[in-house]
Amino acid sequence: EKAKWPKETVDLWAKLSKKEANDIDTIQRSIVHHVTTTLARAAYNMDNFTAYQAVALSTRDRLISRWNETQGQLSKADPKRVYYLSLEFLLGRSMDNALLNMGLKGTYDKSIEKLGFNMEDVIESEVDAALGNGGLGRLAACYMDSLATLDYPAWGYGLRYNYGIFQQRIVDGYQTEYPDYWLNFDNPWELPRLDISIQIGFGGHVQTIQDEYGVTRHNWVPAQSVQAIAYDVPIPGYDTENCNNIRLWRSKPTRVFDLTSFNEGNYEKSVEDATNAEKITSVLYPNDNTMAGKELRLKQQYFWTAASLHDIVRRFKKSMREWSDFPDQVAIQLNDTHPTLAIVELQRLLVDEEMLNWDDAWEIVTKTFAFTNHTVLPEAMEKWSVPMFEYLLPRHLQIIFDINLFFLQKVEKKVPNDRGLLNRMSIIEEAQPQQIRMAHLAVVGSHKVNGVAALHSSLIKTTIFKDFVDYYGEEKFINKTNGVTPRRWLHQSNPQLSALITETLGSDKWLKDLSLLKGLAAKTGDAAFRKKWMAIKRANKVRLAELIKERCGVEVSPDALFDVQVKRIHEYKRQFMNILSVIHRYRTIKSMTAAQKASVQPRVVIFGGKAAPGYYIAKLVIKLINSVAAVVNQDPAVGDLLKVVFIPDYNVSVAEVIVPASDISQHISTAGTEASGTSNMKFVLNGGLIIGTLDGANVEILEEIGEDNIFIFGCMAHEVEDLRHAQRYRGVPMDPALQGVISAIEKGTFEDPKIFQPLISTLTVGKDFYLISADFASYITANQQVDAAYKKQDEWSKKSILCTAHMGKFSSDRSVKEYAEEIWNIKPYSVKDEGYM
Ligand code: KOT
């Protein structure tokens, strides 16, 4: 104990644990030290990867100092914290981000340059942390950046998957999946906390007992248990000493359990149990916006929520407060329904283990939790079959049935004699077998429910949660429009533009107050500024052209219009409609005379994105894109007027190259299907224009940047139902241009047309669920407007500047502040720089 140490020992510790200095000499020494000791390499025998490892370790030392200081000061002050529970954290690379956020990038640049390395090459050696599918996981990462930057006391909780989202390679035009071996080399961005280990039970039975006061108590006796081991990932804020934490859990066999079988001589069983335990955190489910319904996924969800809650409760108990104070110390945000079991687990801990009565416990639970909904797609709604659930979590099932019973009793009291209503609102769906509706459970167990863009938040109130709005009232259902972090998505990914903005605005304050970008609007009339602005865009396009050459083997001109659609491949996102319009463009060019061709705006159409491995139609879309690319790119009649590329293995670090280089990007989901979208924000922030439907956050982007700076087309959300009906029952014919395109595919213009028949079938009149035919004509027109606008480069450059200037709203700082003030009721706590660990 420190208190017992003599003064000289205390002083010695204080002296030696002073933070590292950050001058070039100290940093160079720390890098070389890591090369020669930690990595055991000779300083003269190094490649870029070794340099990366050493720089990463040196950066990590500085991160850990801040992390320690922050967590130490927060433990003492013990303010209310928010816990962000997410099955996905799509962090991407860490080194560049950590150096920029800690203000050390410049010094490290110089330090390693003198050691014979170039920072950009070294950065390229880092593998992405890809523990997420797409928008939902990347949103969690942006929110962690903003929470730390704004000094909010916040922890993320997730799973440490051995394999993140699969690697995509294109073989003969088809997607093939390869495992993501991201942990093959040591991961310097995590701190293993082997001392923090929690037992998690599964299966077994429930004992019912009368306690000494005659009260019925339930005691769950699990049949198996696994260990959860903590791995901590430091998240440094930008321009602050604060450094938050994401705690990721890894599953390990329980030693006790393992040894029982082993000692009984049943070695095979002991090894099998061990393997089954490790399986829980072995792989991220690769489905975006669909529910797989697999037992292992349910195990992941319980393993993660139980470990996290145990940790949160243990931390709360250290403060010796009353249980009723729990919601004043703890806010828990549920990132979609994936962590909804946390609601049930907290109720179980309070009632079964802490002996609170049901109602008091339930009040604590509902005051603690809030729930974010990210999708209205029916195939994404989580439901768990009751028999499977009962087998894994028998006590939790009882609690869910009780929560449902008490809830439906209250509904019945408010609205008597409405069986239909009770059926619709029940947490249990009466199917064969019965199903647990996780979204209903999440709504009932939370005090606030939010959607992720204005349109989406109002849609959920009239569709999936309508009955709940009638019952609870409007105030429980709110909007929190998504945002993105300008640190990664402008400052880091587009350093030249960031520098120009800082120079123009006279300071870099905009990086923490994005509304300041509006100061750029005054510069649209400044021809010299416009020239600089467009030169940076061109440099970014040159860089992307190099990546395309390297990954696709296709040469593209940086003077063409770069047209980008990068996101998960899904029918509702309509990459299919995009490639159909590209075929239309190809056919149009082919039919032109040389004179006509002279006025065509050259375009490079860039696709990227992964399809869920079991999503047949989505994978066919990838094949079609590659087949079209193969024909178009080698057609001398087209030349540079049209190029098509599919960039394989789209991920965060590839996005950092693509986003700053886009002239126009496509956000063209059927209205009402894309909850928000977040890449739309990143593109516009980087001065890229967008073409899109009135869907998700596009609606609010239009509001901010004005209709002159965005290309909107297609039907509106409220028209979708009628259009589908008309198509189905009044046989509205297919759009003629679309018909022409389909005929071209069927004639074999792009490989054997048989391959694409299942795709084409989705457009059959009456079956075109995503309304490609209904929107096709207006889509083609909007694309022509893009071409015409791009030809007027001066006007285009003004639009581009105004796009960036008006994106202030879409910083994740704004989103996070709203959550903190309107849902979590937490306040910033700024760590004091005391210079000691
Ligand atoms: C659903 C189930 C499993 C995995 C992911 C999902 C999911 C992802 N649901 N919604 N999303 C996306 O979330 C983003 C962040 O809010 C939105 O911008 C996007 O529109 C959603 O599709």
Side-chain angles (χ1 to χ4, degrees), residues 172-173 554 579 586 623-635 643-646 749-751:
D172 187 27
V554 178
I579 193 65
Y586 175 60
K623 173 64 179 169
L624 179 60
I625 292 168
N626 284 309
S627 299
V628 172
V631 171
V632 170
N633 294 345
Q634 59 79 56
D635 190 335
K643 293 280 177 216
V644 182
V645 294
F646 186 93
T749 316
F750 314 99
E751 270 189 80

Side-chain angles (χ1 to χ4, degrees), residues 201-207 220-224 390-395:
F202 285 103
H205 65 280
V206 180
Q207 292 174 332
W220 175 31
V221 187
Q224 301 172 11
E390 181 170 32
Y391 168 75
L392 279 181
L393 300 164
R395 176 58 184 144

Side-chain angles (χ1 to χ4, degrees), residues 297-353:
R297 170 82 167 189
L298 183 58
K299 280 190 170 172
Q300 289 186 334
Q301 293 186 350
Y302 180 64
F303 170 83
W304 155 56
T305 52
S308 307
L309 265 189
H310 187 105
D311 209 40
I312 292 166
V313 164
R314 179 176 60 183
R315 196 166 301 122
F316 172 77
K317 280 184 161 184
K318 275 200 242 164
S319 67
M320 310 294 285
R321 294 173 214 253
E322 306 277 325
W323 277 113
S324 57
D325 291 341
F326 192 79
D328 301 324
Q329 288 299 109
V330 174
I332 304 180
Q333 190 67 30
L334 305 174
N335 198 23
D336 215 283
T337 53
H338 317 152
T340 303
L341 280 174
I343 290 171
V344 190
E345 176 70 357
L346 182 57
Q347 181 72 5
R348 185 186 74 82
L349 290 176
L350 294 177
V351 172
D352 291 2
E353 297 189 3

Side-chain angles (χ1 to χ4, degrees), residues 88 135-136 139 287-289 338 374-375 452 482 572 674-677:
E88 306 189 7
L136 174 142
L139 185 77
N287 307 305
D288 191 87
N289 263 297
H338 317 152
H374 294 265
T375 181
V452 291
N482 284 167
Y572 85 82
E674 187 73 276
S676 163

